[in-house]
């Protein structure tokens, strides 16, 4: 009851709708009536008119209308607003009463029915005496009515009925009970709505008319009341704009009232109501800023209106309610589509509401404590004989009194006492928590994680006050880590302190230990003496004793807690606790590291564990253990209290523990990781608490500390070196180490002559020498292309051990595990590996020599596998370039080859190898064409080519006459055998390189001409030239020949001739040329034409003929003598 | 004049926080901490609008019933927060701005100290003095 005293009345919070009463419907026994009623009230959607319907019996008694006051002159109002008024107009006094009556126009007993209907209307009218409520009649008819005007009987009878019932024609309706019921109903209710509107309009007019009778001195309350009523009627009329206007006037009027202690509550209550209505309408009008502004104004105006000091908690409760209901309105508006923002959302209002509830609780605690001894007064001053209050916001013991001083001081006193006693029983914490959780939900939505955490802390604290420690701990524990990760130590410490109290009061050992540890740690901002007290308590728990109570705990709870602790301590077993501290900031810090990121298998693995205590007193511990990823090593990494020397940590000092062990040979190539570190606090006698860190230690704060330390050391590096003591923050953790194989003591040397040449068998000599002191067993060589290079290289590289012949493509690119036997200390071993690279480019070759050897580490015999890798990058080059060309016998380049006419093939071999090359032989494999020389011999036998040198060959070839003249023909291949020229042991195999000869275009010539002439002429000596003209066709050819004169020659022979040559025969022409000038001379031009074959040009023939000849000067007979003389 | 002045690191942990001794210190810690929600939101909102030179002064972060909380973020994302009593209506926006500027200048001096390790809490007497000058004087 006390909690709900502040709730807003439901009739205030609902949306006012016109009230229409339906009478004459029997919804229980009459199916037709039931259907009509359902059509009115079931599934009302938003698009239907806002009316609230109610079925009432025909003789229902409506609230009596009081006699209207004719004058306000002597009237003194007793309060602002009657508690029943809103409900009366929402649910009791209808705007319209509708009488349903079953009557068809052609009813046989029309007269009787008409008068019965009139009687019923009269009954309703009487009951509504004095009210402006309208009455309407609906005739339920079985027949579908005819269109208006057609049914003469109907219109006549309707008129009669209206007359007898004293109704206007607009208030008589017909409802045919047919298929389209809902449609008719909707039309009906629209008509009802209009009537209702008119009713509320007249009501507004009526209230307004009172105004002229009022005076400002005695009727202040009425001004507010009337404005409120007008506004409320406007709302019922759905005129929200005007409603808002009147509410605003009412609001300003309510603050103009003379306020004093006795009516403060009434004023505030009404101000709250009106404010609620204004804000609600503002949100409804989608003007949220107006709503917020109104609310702020409201709060600013009312904040200081505390009223009676003894009941100050009431003011806080009221304020809280104001904020809460505004928050709810805001939230409601958001659900209907309003968008809120981070800094303006309902959460703030819920939070403030919670804040005022907390104030209320504080005030209640102060004010009601005084009355602790008093008993509830009798008779109950709050009792109103079950009738409730007459006016909103008045005191039950002095209702309706508006004088400034309370009439009865004694009554006032008992009233206040009763209220205070009631307030004591209010579940404040529950209210606060509910508000806070509302706020949390809002802030979560509007991206305020820190605000959310803060409110959750408050919730946790409230649960603590409400003695629900489990829930308190749950909440506090949840948010703690947010504060820890954000490093707000002050706040974290405050939360931890509350949490520790909860854990103590619940006697939850594990939680208690955890919170103690963190409160002792470096993140705690507690004072030294506090820490000292907590540490003593922690030691007590470890030795199975009951810890001292936390300060500021409720004394009754403390004694309950003490007995709980005693029970816990008495309980045997479950004395071991493991606490994962990685995510906390415990008072013992731990960091561990392997001395090196890798260890050879023949070295002992060393690791160090550093511990440091931050608490005020030394702590001793029983055991320190490191767990590693391979659990077999764990036994070597345990430090245990052996009895004589206790292991203890001094405050602020770093203690280091060293461990070492020998790794297993199976772990070579594997990582060893620290999986956890455990420190055992306490001992066998009491309670064992295992403080455990994952990995290599560290906690929630150490990463940041390390970062800060590194920033610092970067600047003050020299200082660090100079400092004697270990700097804790700059200690780095090394949580894993690699076990790597033993360092091999052998040498692997490679000798070779790079670069390699394509296709050659490239020899790499490997020399392995042992420097071991023991026998190296099981020596194996893996040689070849290093894996992981371009995939194509694998297919173009072949490795073999056999260098006697050229290997084929089946040889692999990597030779794995070639056994080399054993190596005695100092022994040397040589091995040749041959590599054939088919393509050019760089390649990385790997030579991996593996062996095993026995060795001892710290007295333990182990067999180690060692290996040594050598890699070498070898470039492969093309040894030589071969270029081939066809030329005519005149050494002119040929673009096409004539059939059965000799031509030349020229090959040039240009060495690009840095090493001398030995060409052993060359040969031609001809296709289509044949050699013109009977015994084809290589001209390149045993030729040595140095870098950049070129070797050439020339072959005379001819295309046989029978050849089919395709356009192009293949001519064959050129084969070269070669190898690298080495002076010593040049027994490397020969490589045969095949060069494809180019294709040629063949052509037929109809006529072939060639000349026989000496290689040179001499001035003034006869030079016989014989031209042979061959007819290559199957036809007789007529040939015209003419020799053009030349300045350099005289000649004899036929200057112009015409002759016929038979098919496949030859004509010979002889000329005697007589050179006149020395030097290179152009021979006289021979012009040949075939008159029968005009397409054939002389130019084609000219290429067969020599153009020039060298003419030597004339010899002198005297010369011989002059030479002799000389 | 302010009732609480705080300097918050880029990573949102406090570098310096001082409040008037007469009131609950913890409450101010919470107020400053929760105001970071709004600061973060404002910074990220600005981050989206590229190019513009960001205004360091963030203005009123959020009003509570009792206090007004103002924020300021340096280019290196160090936040300054000033909490003012709501009843103190004499304080104008300009004055708050100049308080922040003064605070920023003094903070820059602290950072320029070669013996100061950035990221550590501020323990400078000069800075303390500047802050004291801006706090509400309690007799």
């Amino acid at each position: 009851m006390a909690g709900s005293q502040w709730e807003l009345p439901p009739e205030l919070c609902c949306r006012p709708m016109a009230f229409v009463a339906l009478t004459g419907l029997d919804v229980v026994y009459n199916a037709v009536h039931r259907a009509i009623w359902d059509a009115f009230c079931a599934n009302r959607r938003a698009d239907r008119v806002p009316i609230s319907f109610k079925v009432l019996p025909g003789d229902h008694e409506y609230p009596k209308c009081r006699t209207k006051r004719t004058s306000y002159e002597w009237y003194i109002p007793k309060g602002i607003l009657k508690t029943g008024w809103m409900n009366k107009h929402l649910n009791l006094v209808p705007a319209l009463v509708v009488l349903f009556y079953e009557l068809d126009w052609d009813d046989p007993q029309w007269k009787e029915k008409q008068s019965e209907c009139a009687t019923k209307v009269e009954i309703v009218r009487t009951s509504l005496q004095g009210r402006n409520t309208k009455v309407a009649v609906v005739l339920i008819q079985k027949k579908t009515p005819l269109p208006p005007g057609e049914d003469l009987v109907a219109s006549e009878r309707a008129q009669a009925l209206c007359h007898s019932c004293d109704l206007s024609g607009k208030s008589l309706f017909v409802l045919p009970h047919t298929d389209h019921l809902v449609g008719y109903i909707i039309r009906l209710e629209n008509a009802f709505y209009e009537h209702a509107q008119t009713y509320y309009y007249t009501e507004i007019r009526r209230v307004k008319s009172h105004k002229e009778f009022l005076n400002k001195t005695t009727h202040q309350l009425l001004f507010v009341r009337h404005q409120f009523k007008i506004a409320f009627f406007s709302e019922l009329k759905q005129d929200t704009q005007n409603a808002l206007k009147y509410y605003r006037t009412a609001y300003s009027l309510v603050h103009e009232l003379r306020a004093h202690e006795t009516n403060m509550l009434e004023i505030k209550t009404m101000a709250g109501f009106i404010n609620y209505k204004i804000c609600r309408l503002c949100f409804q009008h989608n003007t949220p800023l107006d709503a917020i502004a109104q609310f702020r104004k409201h709060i600013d105006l009312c904040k200081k209106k505390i009223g009676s000091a003894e009941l100050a908690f009431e003011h806080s409760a009221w304020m809280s309610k104001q904020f809460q209901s505004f928050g709810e309105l805001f939230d409601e508006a958001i659900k209907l589509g309003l968008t809120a923002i981070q800094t303006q959302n309902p959460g703030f209002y819920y939070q403030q509401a919670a804040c005022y509830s907390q104030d209320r609780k504080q005030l209640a605690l102060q004010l009601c404590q005084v009355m602790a001894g008093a008993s509830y007064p009798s008779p109950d001053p709050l009792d109103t004989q079950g009738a409730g209050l007459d006016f909103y916001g008045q005191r039950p013991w002095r209702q309706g009194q508006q004088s400034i001083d309370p009439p009865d001081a004694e009554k006032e006193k008992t009233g206040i006492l009763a209220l205070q006693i009631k307030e004591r029983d209010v579940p404040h914490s529950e209210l606060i928590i509910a508000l806070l959780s509302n706020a949390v939900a809002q802030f979560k939505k509007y991206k305020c994680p820190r605000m959310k955490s803060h409110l959750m802390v408050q919730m946790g604290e409230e649960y603590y006050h409400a003695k629900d420690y489990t829930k308190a701990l749950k909440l506090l524990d949840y948010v703690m880590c947010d504060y820890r990760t954000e490093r707000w130590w002050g706040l974290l410490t405050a939360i931890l302190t509350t949490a520790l109290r909860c854990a103590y009061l619940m006697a939850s050992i594990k939680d208690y230990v955890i919170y103690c540890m963190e409160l002792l740690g470096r993140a705690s901002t507690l004072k030294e003496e506090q820490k000292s007290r907590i540490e003593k308590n922690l030691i007590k728990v470890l030795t199975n004793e009951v810890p001292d109570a936390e300060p500021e705990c409720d004394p009754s709870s403390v004694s309950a807690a003490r007995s709980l602790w005693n029970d816990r301590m008495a309980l045997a077993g479950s004395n071991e606790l493991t606490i994962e501290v990685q995510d906390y900031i415990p008072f013992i810090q731990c960091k561990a590291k392997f001395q090196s990121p890798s260890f050879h298998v023949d070295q002992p693995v060393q690791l160090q564990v550093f511990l440091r205590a931050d608490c005020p007193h030394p702590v001793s511990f029983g055991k320190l253990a490191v767990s590693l990823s391979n659990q077999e090593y764990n036994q070597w990494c345990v430090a245990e209290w052996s009895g004589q020397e206790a292991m203890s940590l001094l405050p602020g000092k770093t203690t280091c523990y060293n461990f070492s062990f020998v790794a297993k040979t199976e772990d070579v190539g594997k990582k060893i990781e620290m999986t956890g570190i455990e420190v055992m606090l306490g001992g066998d006698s009491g309670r064992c608490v295992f403080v455990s860190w994952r990995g290599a230690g560290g906690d929630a704060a150490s990463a940041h500390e390390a970062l800060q330390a590194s920033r610092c050391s970067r600047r003050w590096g020299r200082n660090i070196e100079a400092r004697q003591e270990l700097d804790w923050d700059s200690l780095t953790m090394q949580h894993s180490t690699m076990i790597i194989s033993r360092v091999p003591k052998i040498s692997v040397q490679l000798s070779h002559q790079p670069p390699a040449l394509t296709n050659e068998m490239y020899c790499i000599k490997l020399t392995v020498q042992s420097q071991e002191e023991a026998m190296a067993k099981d020596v194996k060589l893996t040689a070849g292309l290093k894996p992981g290079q371009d995939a194509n290289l694998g297919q173009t590289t072949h490795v073999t051990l056999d260098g006697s012949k050229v290997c084929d493509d089946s040889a692999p690119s990597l030779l794995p595990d070639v056994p080399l036997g054993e190596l005695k200390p100092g022994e040397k071993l040589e091995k040749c590996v041959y590599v054939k690279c088919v393509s050019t480019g760089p390649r990385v070759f790997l030579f991996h020599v593996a062996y095993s050897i026995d060795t001892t580490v710290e007295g333990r015999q182990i067999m180690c596998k060692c290996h040594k890798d050598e890699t070498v990058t070898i470039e492969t080059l093309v040894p030589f370039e071969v270029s081939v060309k066809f030329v005519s016998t005149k050494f002119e380049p040929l673009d096409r080859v004539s059939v059965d006419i000799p031509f030349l093939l020229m090959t040039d071999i240009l060495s690009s190898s840095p090493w001398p090359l030995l060409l052993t032989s060359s040969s031609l494999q001809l296709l289509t064409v044949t050699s013109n020389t009977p015994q084809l011999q290589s001209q390149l036998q045993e030729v040595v080519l140095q870098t950049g040198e070129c070797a050439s060959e020339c072959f005379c070839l001819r295309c046989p006459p029978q050849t089919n003249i395709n356009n192009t023909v293949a001519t064959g291949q050129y084969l070269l055998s070669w190898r690298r020229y080495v002076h010593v042991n040049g027994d490397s195999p020969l490589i045969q390189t095949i060069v494809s000869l180019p294709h040629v275009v063949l052509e037929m010539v109809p006529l072939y001409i060639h000349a026989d002439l000496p290689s040179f002429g001499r001035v003034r000596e006869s030079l016989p030239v014989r031209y042979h003209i061959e007819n290559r066709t199957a036809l007789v050819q007529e040939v015209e020949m003419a020799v053009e004169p030349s300045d350099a020659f005289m000649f004899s022979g036929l200057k112009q001739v015409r002759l016929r040559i038979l098919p496949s025969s030859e004509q010979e022409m002889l000329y005697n040329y007589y050179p006149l000038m020395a030097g290179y001379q152009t021979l006289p031009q021979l012009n040949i034409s075939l008159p029968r074959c005009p397409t054939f040009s002389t130019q084609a023939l000219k290429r067969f003929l020599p153009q020039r000849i060298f003419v030597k000067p004339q010899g002198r007979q005297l010369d011989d003598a002059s030479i002799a003389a000389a | 004049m302010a009732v609480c002045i705080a300097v918050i690191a880029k990573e949102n942990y406090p570098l310096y926080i001082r409040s008037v001794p007469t009131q609950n210190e913890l409450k101010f810690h919470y107020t400053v901490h929760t105001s970071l929600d709004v600061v973060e939101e404002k910074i990220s909102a600005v981050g989206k609008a590229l190019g513009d030179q960001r205004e360091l002064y963030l203005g009123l972060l959020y009003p509570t019933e009792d206090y007004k909380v103002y924020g300021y973020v340096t280019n290196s994302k160090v936040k300054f927060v000033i909490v003012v009593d709501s009843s103190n209506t004499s304080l104008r926006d300009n004055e708050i701005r100049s308080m922040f500027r003064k605070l920023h200048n003094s903070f820059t001096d602290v950072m320029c100290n070669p013996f100061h390790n950035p990221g550590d809490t501020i323990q400078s007497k000069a800075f303390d003095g500047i802050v004291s000058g801006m706090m509400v004087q309690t007799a």
Side-chain angles (χ1 to χ4, degrees), chain A residues 479-734:
Chain A
V479 292
M480 231 180 255
C481 84
D482 293 341
Y483 290 99
R484 199 181 288 120
T485 45
E486 288 223 306
R487 306 170 51 76
W488 282 74
W489 303 142
L491 300 180
L492 178 65
T493 308
I495 298 166
L496 279 169
T497 312
T498 314
L500 182 66
R501 274 184 219 146
C502 291
Y504 171 76
L505 294 171
M506 285 165 72
S508 160
I509 295 173
K510 187 166 181 177
D511 290 327
Y512 188 81
V513 171
I514 291 173
Y515 300 136
C516 280
M517 281 187 175
E518 199 154 18
L519 279 171
L520 287 173
R522 61 202 190 282
S524 156
T525 55
L526 286 184
K527 296 218 168 52
E528 203 70 354
E529 62 260 29
Q530 288 288 325
K531 286 191 175 181
S532 170
R533 185 184 61 77
I534 290 170
E535 189 176 358
K536 278 176 191 148
N537 272 339
L538 179 62
I539 291 168
K540 276 190 180 173
V541 173
L542 290 177
T543 50
N544 219 359
E545 285 174 48
V546 177
D548 290 343
E550 289 300 307
E552 293 170 49
C553 280
D554 181 30
S556 63
S557 314
V558 167
S559 58
R562 196 160 286 145
S563 72
L564 266 177
W565 276 100
N566 278 322
D567 293 351
R568 291 281 145 83
M569 296 307 167
L571 220 65
S574 73
N575 277 349
E576 287 192 4
L577 266 181
T578 304
I579 297 170
E580 286 269 353
V581 291
Q582 196 92 62
D583 303 324
Y584 303 112
I585 304 169
F587 72 115
I588 298 176
Q589 296 186 65
C590 169
K591 283 182 182 183
K593 65 174 190 183
F594 283 106
Q595 294 284 57
S596 150
S598 65
F599 286 95
H600 293 290
V601 69
D602 58 338
Q603 287 175 307
V605 178
Q606 291 175 311
L607 65 96
Q608 286 181 311
V609 178
F610 299 92
L611 291 176
R612 179 190 163 103
D614 298 317
C615 49
H617 304 292
V619 249
S620 58
F621 63 95
K623 192 175 158 187
L624 165 68
V626 183
S627 348
L628 296 155
S629 53
N630 188 340
Q631 292 175 357
E632 285 175 65
Y633 302 131
N634 288 358
Q635 52 177 316
W636 309 107
C637 303
V638 177
E640 215 156 349
W641 183 40
S642 56
Q644 302 97 327
E645 33 157 357
M647 296 196 288
S648 81
L649 302 171
L650 298 174
K653 289 271 184 299
T654 304
T655 318
C656 172
Y657 296 87
N658 288 301
F659 301 105
S660 85
F661 58 89
V662 178
K664 293 194 161 11
T665 46
E666 302 93 270
D667 279 347
V668 173
K670 286 184 192 157
K671 229 179 198 175
I672 298 183
E673 276 178 67
M674 289 189 222
T675 53
I677 299 168
E678 260 186 359
V679 169
M680 189 183 83
L681 296 177
D684 306 330
S685 55
R687 201 171 281 280
C688 281
V689 174
F690 292 97
V691 184
S692 115
W693 287 266
R694 287 191 302 274
D699 52 43
S702 51
H704 183 261
E705 284 160 1
L707 180 69
Q708 282 299 102
S710 73
R711 276 186 192 160
C712 195
S713 63
R714 215 164 40 219
R715 288 189 185 182
W716 307 104
R718 266 183 228 162
N719 270 10
I720 290 277
E721 283 162 34
R723 217 180 289 169
Q724 285 299 310
E725 212 192 322
L726 257 170
D727 178 50
W728 177 266
D729 287 338
S730 54
L731 262 180
T732 49
M733 294 179 279
Q734 169 80 43

Side-chain angles (χ1 to χ4, degrees), chain A residues 296 352 451 486 488 708, chain B residues 12-13 33 37 65 118 120:
Chain A
R296 288 248 52 94
Q352 204 54 42
M451 184 63 100
E486 288 223 306
W488 282 74
Q708 282 299 102
Chain B
N12 287 337
Y13 63 88
H33 185 244
D37 284 336
E65 278 304 289
D120 282 353

Side-chain angles (χ1 to χ4, degrees), chain A residues 296 342-343 348 352 447-451 454 457 483 486-488 491 494-495 704 708 711-712 715-716, chain B residues 8 12-14 26 29-30 32-34 36-38 40-41 61-62 65 114-120:
Chain A
R296 288 248 52 94
Q342 190 193 35
T343 51
F348 285 102
Q352 204 54 42
K447 286 194 240 165
C448 300
R450 294 178 187 85
M451 184 63 100
H454 177 203
V457 171
Y483 290 99
E486 288 223 306
R487 306 170 51 76
W488 282 74
L491 300 180
I495 298 166
H704 183 261
Q708 282 299 102
R711 276 186 192 160
C712 195
R715 288 189 185 182
W716 307 104
Chain B
I8 314 294
N12 287 337
Y13 63 88
L26 202 60
H29 279 235
Y30 276 120
V32 172
H33 185 244
T34 48
L36 292 178
D37 284 336
V38 187
E40 293 268 279
E41 190 70 16
L61 295 180
Y62 71 100
E65 278 304 289
F115 294 97
H116 178 80
N117 188 15
D120 282 353

Side-chain angles (χ1 to χ4, degrees), chain A residues 872-1085:
Chain A
V872 64
T873 306
I874 296 171
E875 186 79 33
T876 305
L877 298 178
V878 176
F880 50 77
E881 302 282 350
V882 178
S883 60
V884 177
K885 60 184 183 231
F886 293 108
V887 291
S888 70
T889 43
K890 282 160 75 185
F891 291 99
E892 286 168 346
L894 277 181
D895 53 347
R896 46 189 64 211
V897 168
S898 303
V899 172
D900 201 22
I901 292 167
F903 62 95
L904 298 179
L905 168 73
M906 302 273 293
T907 59
D908 292 321
I909 300 151
L910 175 67
S911 162
S912 53
S913 145
W915 304 101
L917 291 179
L918 175 70
L919 302 177
T920 47
S921 69
S922 70
S923 64
L924 278 177
Q925 280 179 351
L926 292 170
L927 279 171
T928 320
V929 289
T930 53
S931 173
N932 217 21
T933 28
Q935 206 76 50
L936 196 65
Q937 255 212 330
S938 169
Q939 295 141 324
L940 291 178
Q941 271 174 359
E942 304 297 330
V943 171
V944 174
L945 275 186
Q946 298 294 337
T947 313
E949 283 182 342
C950 183
S952 296
E953 266 190 298
C954 183
F955 302 96
C956 188
L957 306 176
R958 173 196 285 273
C959 188
Q962 295 82 13
T963 323
N964 287 331
I965 301 176
N966 299 322
N967 272 338
T968 55
V969 290
T971 47
Q973 289 174 321
Y974 180 54
L975 279 68
L976 262 177
S977 291
W978 61 277
R979 63 175 154 86
R980 195 187 273 239
Y981 182 72
V982 191
H983 295 285
V984 247
N985 54 352
D987 53 354
S988 63
L990 284 173
I991 302 108
Q992 192 162 58
T993 301
I994 297 166
V995 181
S996 286
L997 297 175
H999 287 216
V1000 290
V1001 183
L1002 290 181
E1003 68 172 359
M1004 257 324 254
V1005 280
L1007 209 63
Y1008 176 54
I1009 182 162
H1010 61 99
D1012 275 349
L1013 79 168
S1015 53
F1016 62 88
R1018 203 180 277 272
V1019 175
R1020 301 210 185 145
E1021 272 182 29
S1022 168
L1023 179 70
V1025 176
R1026 202 180 298 272
Y1027 292 102
H1028 303 270
I1029 307 163
E1030 283 177 42
N1031 178 3
R1032 290 274 175 89
T1033 61
L1035 300 167
V1036 176
Q1037 291 290 347
E1038 201 163 305
V1039 180
E1040 274 183 8
M1041 266 182 76
V1043 180
E1044 283 181 12
S1046 163
D1047 291 342
F1049 293 95
M1050 291 193 294
F1051 67 90
S1052 67
L1054 297 167
K1055 191 179 177 210
Q1056 187 164 18
V1057 69
R1058 184 177 207 152
L1059 47 94
R1060 280 205 187 106
I1061 307 173
L1062 294 176
S1064 304
S1065 68
E1066 184 182 304
Q1067 184 71 45
E1068 205 178 273
M1069 301 290 288
L1070 180 68
Y1071 289 91
N1072 262 321
Y1073 289 150
Y1074 191 70
L1076 299 174
M1077 286 181 248
Y1080 274 111
Q1081 300 298 341
T1082 311
L1083 284 168
Q1085 287 280 309

